[in-house]
Amino acid sequence: MNTHLVLENLKLFKGLDEEVFEIGSIWMEGNIIRFAGPSSDLKNTPDGAKRVDCVGKFAMPGMTESHAHLSYTQNPALELDNSPVEEAMLYSIDNSRLMLGAGFTSAISFGSVHRIDVALREAINRGHIPGPRLVASGRDVGATASNADLYPDHIKPQMEGLGMLVDGPWAVRKAVRQLKKNGADIIKLILDGELLSSYAPPGQLTYTDEEVAAACEEAHSRNMRVATHSRSAAAVKQAVRFGVDVIGHANYLDNEALDLLKKNRNRLAVGPAIAWEMAFVENHESTGFTRTQVRDLGYDDEIEATIKAVKQMRSNGVKVLVGGDYGLDITPHGTYAKDLEYFVDLFGMSPEEALLCATRDGGAVADPSGMTGTLEEGKLADIVLLNGDPTADIKVLQDPSSITAVFKDGQSYCGLLENNPYLIGKDDEDNHMNEKKISGTLEESMESAG
């Protein structure tokens, strides 16, 4: 029998538009929202419904991390596949917990080390580990001399953790089929490169049109989606023309690329993923680069180009999503909400607009069936409950102490951002999974949160 829970007297952001209700309520029946709106409009709740007074709290939809790398283990950018699979799997379990605890109830993978994403998705869906609702990827699909081809030819064999190096349309088709066989929901296709690369910079297309067409046709025929690494206008145009679903980066746009994005805005979305560039500029010393080297490589210019591109896309109605390359040593897991600060401070959005990118728009892309991203009757109960108002200060979402509870699919969690919050011991009672701390009713979560 489904339980009824009513959260009352909270400040409410439904995620439909920029409106915020000063006194709102949310009524859940099991994992489904039955009402979300002004408390004055709440009617016909069951007599036995559990009611919780949330005065002073702010409620919003769960967010979507649209450029997720849960299997990245805080390695430097050029050493992403250097962790043994056993260690990477253990870290990934922890990363899943951190992502959910940070208020991201859904995630779209942009590449996985080994087959970790699929294993994570299955464990999360079974309830074995806490984590976001995951659109799982496999290893990156890239050509010889692409951004997936990280090692000199004299180092053999190539590392097998991150990239699938495949050339030619039939080899690309085979790679997509293999990813489908291994359980991936989405493929990551590398169309151009990075400023750090001497042989595959942005603008150097690493796949031909025929190869990209083959990848998209094969993926879509098998009910898979396609995400691309596309920094340049040329790579964006190639992605749009052949039906890519989610474009990563899109730093440099020309008029033709912008026009194609505008014409296809109802079927695709773009995630600028600017966290990598910002973190590289701000932490250049720890990466072994001088400030002059970073500037000479072109990263300052790339940031400026991205700011311009995002503003252009937004003005043309293109969905721009929150998320970006977290999981490197300079962009650690758990800090995903930093992206919303970039959307406000760099892209000139209001906090409400940034929240819509993270909730409504990200949710629509992660779940095309329309069950996530907003707080509406009939949708899944994915909710973030906060001490603090992100529409007044978007940085509130970066403060772990501000997150009172995270609901995913009607189940409440708290304490997931703490270190080792669910140690399981055989004999020591203190080390057993604490249901009050990790999941259960909202009252228990709030009590545990102090």
Side-chain angles (χ1 to χ4, degrees):
M1 181 177 179
N2 286 338
T3 57
H4 293 265
L5 176 64
V6 180
L7 311 180
E8 301 179 300
N9 298 322
L10 43 75
K11 198 168 185 177
L12 177 63
F13 176 79
K14 295 180 60 174
L16 292 170
D17 50 35
E18 297 180 46
E19 186 174 15
V20 177
F21 298 98
E22 292 296 327
I23 303 176
S25 294
I26 302 172
W27 166 21
M28 290 175 274
E29 181 182 5
N31 67 334
I32 299 296
I33 294 172
R34 294 303 176 200
F35 173 86
S39 295
S40 59
D41 291 345
L42 178 61
K43 300 180 183 357
N44 302 319
T45 55
D47 291 339
K50 186 178 184 66
R51 310 182 85 90
V52 179
D53 187 351
C54 296
V55 63
K57 307 295 183 187
F58 183 99
M60 58 177 278
M63 295 178 285
T64 295
E65 166 58 49
S66 71
H67 194 119
H69 290 299
L70 285 169
S71 61
Y72 285 11
T73 57
Q74 324 288 55
N75 288 334
L78 297 180
E79 300 176 18
L80 295 176
D81 55 359
N82 277 2
S83 295
V85 63
E86 299 86 355
E87 291 181 13
M89 187 72 226
L90 291 173
Y91 279 116
S92 299
I93 293 170
D94 209 38
N95 299 338
S96 297
R97 166 181 64 83
L98 291 173
M99 188 171 285
L100 181 60
F104 290 81
T105 53
S106 296
I108 303 167
S109 176
F110 247 72
S112 170
V113 174
H114 303 282
R115 189 176 169 267
I116 286 176
D117 263 10
V118 174
L120 281 178
R121 181 195 66 205
E122 296 305 299
I124 291 167
N125 289 348
R126 288 194 302 266
H128 288 179
I129 63 172
R133 191 177 288 101
L134 179 61
V135 180
S137 182
R139 292 160 58 199
D140 293 355
V141 178
T144 299
S146 73
N147 202 44
D149 192 358
L150 298 177
Y151 299 96
D153 285 349
H154 68 272
I155 297 179
K156 297 184 181 297
Q158 288 277 350
M159 300 292 284
E160 296 184 350
L162 179 62
M164 300 174 70
L165 300 185
V166 291
D167 299 293
W170 285 106
V172 169
R173 287 183 184 274
K174 181 179 179 179
V176 174
R177 292 167 185 170
Q178 184 177 4
L179 290 168
K180 176 65 175 182
K181 173 186 173 182
N182 288 326
D185 302 307
I186 190 168
I187 71 165
K188 163 79 173 294
L189 199 62
I190 304 233
L191 300 189
D192 67 354
E194 292 285 342
L195 291 171
L196 281 174
S197 174
S198 61
Y199 51 85
Q204 174 64 62
L205 296 181
T206 51
Y207 269 133
T208 65
D209 288 355
E210 188 180 9
E211 289 167 315
V212 178
C216 292
E217 181 183 315
E218 196 70 38
H220 291 154
S221 72
R222 296 172 184 274
N223 199 31
M224 302 167 75
R225 288 185 279 174
V226 181
T228 61
H229 174 111
S230 300
R231 289 202 178 276
S232 64
V236 168
K237 287 182 280 192
Q238 193 178 51
V240 177
R241 284 173 179 149
F242 295 104
V244 165
D245 304 283
V246 186
I247 296 174
H249 306 299
N251 309 90
Y252 311 95
L253 298 179
D254 59 20
N255 290 336
E256 185 182 11
L258 186 62
D259 187 55
L260 280 171
L261 288 169
K262 180 181 178 180
K263 289 178 179 177
N264 290 273
R265 64 186 181 274
N266 293 325
R267 69 158 188 84
L268 57 72
V270 177
I274 200 171
W276 151 248
E277 291 99 322
M278 293 298 296
F280 186 47
V281 170
E282 293 168 358
N283 299 280
H284 58 275
E285 290 183 357
S286 69
T287 64
F289 289 84
T290 67
R291 185 68 184 88
T292 300
Q293 287 174 319
V294 171
R295 187 181 300 109
D296 290 346
L297 281 167
Y299 278 96
D300 292 64
D301 292 338
E302 186 163 280
I303 290 170
E304 290 304 312
T306 307
I307 292 170
K308 179 182 177 182
V310 169
K311 291 180 178 180
Q312 289 176 319
M313 286 188 285
R314 291 276 293 172
S315 66
N316 282 278
V318 179
K319 286 189 184 70
V320 176
L321 307 181
V322 163
D325 279 336
Y326 291 92
L328 307 177
D329 56 349
I330 56 175
T331 55
H333 283 290
T335 64
Y336 322 103
K338 182 74 173 175
D339 245 41
L340 285 94
E341 180 185 344
Y342 294 142
F343 275 41
V344 172
D345 290 351
L346 297 180
F347 302 149
M349 296 186 196
S350 68
E352 291 87 351
E353 288 174 319
L355 289 174
L356 289 172
C357 293
T359 57
R360 180 193 66 191
D361 297 341
V365 177
D367 178 22
S369 72
M371 291 294 287
T372 64
T374 60
L375 303 182
E376 298 179 78
E377 181 180 359
K379 291 202 173 185
L380 293 174
D382 289 0
I383 305 164
V384 182
L385 199 64
L386 301 163
N387 288 315
D389 182 354
T391 65
D393 180 6
I394 200 67
K395 294 180 183 178
V396 163
L397 289 165
Q398 298 176 48
D399 179 5
S401 66
S402 74
I403 300 177
T404 299
V406 177
F407 286 82
K408 189 191 103 177
D409 211 26
Q411 175 68 62
S412 63
Y413 299 81
C414 93
L416 295 181
L417 292 176
E418 299 174 16
N419 291 326
N420 301 316
Y422 52 99
L423 291 173
I424 302 174
K426 187 173 182 180
D427 301 314
D428 184 353
E429 184 175 351
D430 289 339
N431 282 339
H432 278 280
M433 184 176 287
N434 186 335
E435 287 295 325
K436 180 181 286 188
K437 191 171 189 179
I438 299 304
S439 63
T441 69
L442 175 62
E443 285 183 325
E444 289 173 335
S445 296
M446 292 175 68
E447 179 184 343
S448 176

